[in-house]
């Protein structure tokens, strides 16, 4: 038996990459298969039963760790599904089912251009908040570093570094920062997101030539991936690690986070939350607000605070 990771999943067939680097098409062993149901089931009664059981539409997701036995003809059978450390999931069409988009996704790489176009920091903050809400680790990449002087990039990066975020200045064109990016991607599952034109595809191609992201007009989605039906695929990196190509997650535009949760998605606010006089403080004009006190002391950046206000309007 060998251990591996699921790169692709669909209709009872899975592509597994073993830890020794072999790529094997696999089926499921019967005892795992009994949980396998298809979301497109046309039988209404069957669909209702599925919904009642609240089970997942497929027991195995892209990113899952599995044990496989290899059979003749280069095929394999998935025998064991390892417990997930995390999972990014969405409600499927039937609102009581949850479907895992990517299991064990760890890192969101948020890509913005340093120039052309100039970074829209309000938009950047929104990406960060949504990734925080999904409990992902975060890396900010300021791409097109060849177009901006280092001081300008540093001025953008500094407030984010103070919060504790990693920021890499990179250029897909000149290769600046690409080694550092590789080091951050190594050994784990990452997803790239950011506005159109920031250079996500170019960066991935610089990280590993030939690594292709699917493109497509997916429309607006959330980190939870609602409104998208495009399936995810893991692209293996030659130096170890995977990039989750989840086209629907590449451009997060849709806003779908409860106002009271937004504060927790600003890491610099977390230490002060719960210290305001009013439990339901909105950190605007209320007296004895711990967030505004932190702002006055300079512990919270004014512009980030304004982003918070904007998101909780
Ligand atoms: N000067 C410069 N241009 C870059 C760099 N990286 C990407 N570009 C250019 O920026 C444009 C957008 O790059 P893409 O890689 O297509 O951007 P993307 O983020 O994948 O865009 P979408 O596929 O629309 O989401 C292209 O014209 C690239 O040639 C860079 O480091 N420096
Ligand atoms: Zn407050």
């Amino acid at each position: 038996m060998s251990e591996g990771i699921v790169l692709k999943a669909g209709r009872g067939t899975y592509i597994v990459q073993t830890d020794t680097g072999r790529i094997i098409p696999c089926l499921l062993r019967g005892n795992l298969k009994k949980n396998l149901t298809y979301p497109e089931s046309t039988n209404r009664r069957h669909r209702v039963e599925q919904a009642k059981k609240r089970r997942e539409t497929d027991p195995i997701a892209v990113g899952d760790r599995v044990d496989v036995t290899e059979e003749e003809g280069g095929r394999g059978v998935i025998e064991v599904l390892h417990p997930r450390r995390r999972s990014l999931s969405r409600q499927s069409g039937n609102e009581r089912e949850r479907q895992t988009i990517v299991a064990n996704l760890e890192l969101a790489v948020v890509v913005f251009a340093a120039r052309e176009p100039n970074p829209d920091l309000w938009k950047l903050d929104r990406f960060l908040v949504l990734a925080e809400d999904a409990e992902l680790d975060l890396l900010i990449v300021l791409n097109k570093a060849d177009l901006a002087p280092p001081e300008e990039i540093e001025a953008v990066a500094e407030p984010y570094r103070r919060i504790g975020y990693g920021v890499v200045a990179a250029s897909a064109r000149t290769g600046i920062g690409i080694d550092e990016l590789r080091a951050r991607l190594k050994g784990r599952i990452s997803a790239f997101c950011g506005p159109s034109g920031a250079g996500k595809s170019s960066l991935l191609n610089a990280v590993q030539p030939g690594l292709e992201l699917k493109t497509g007009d997916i429309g607006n989605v959330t980190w939870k991936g609602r409104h998208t039906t495009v399936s995810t695929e893991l692209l293996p990196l030659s130096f170890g690690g995977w990039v989750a190509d989840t086209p629907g997650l590449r451009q997060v535009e849709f806003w779908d986070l409860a106002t009271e949760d937004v504060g927790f998605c600003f890491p610099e606010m977390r230490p002060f939350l719960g210290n305001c006089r009013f439990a339901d403080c909105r950190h605007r004009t209320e007296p004895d607000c711990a967030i505004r006190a932190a702002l006055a002391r300079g512990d919270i950046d004014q512009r980030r605070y304004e982003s918070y206000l904007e998101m909780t309007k």
Side-chain angles (χ1 to χ4, degrees), residues 255 258-264 266 269 272-293 295 300 304-313:
W255 188 249
T259 299
E260 60 270 25
D261 292 337
V262 174
F264 291 97
F266 281 75
M269 290 191 183
F272 310 111
L273 293 170
N275 297 344
C276 302
R277 183 199 292 185
F278 300 109
D280 62 349
C281 186
R282 297 178 68 232
H283 321 306
R284 286 164 189 264
T285 53
E286 293 90 341
D288 293 333
C289 169
I291 297 295
R292 291 188 61 90
L295 181 70
I300 292 174
R304 286 273 295 172
Y305 172 68
E306 285 166 16
S307 267
Y308 168 82
L309 294 183
E310 184 66 28
M311 287 182 216
T312 52
K313 262 205 306 230

Side-chain angles (χ1 to χ4, degrees), residues 70-88:
E70 298 184 38
E71 304 196 329
E72 284 129 66
R75 302 200 135 251
V77 177
I78 297 178
E79 308 278 359
V80 177
L81 169 63
H82 291 233
R84 284 176 191 152
R85 278 167 291 138
R86 350 170 158 206
S87 87
L88 188 65

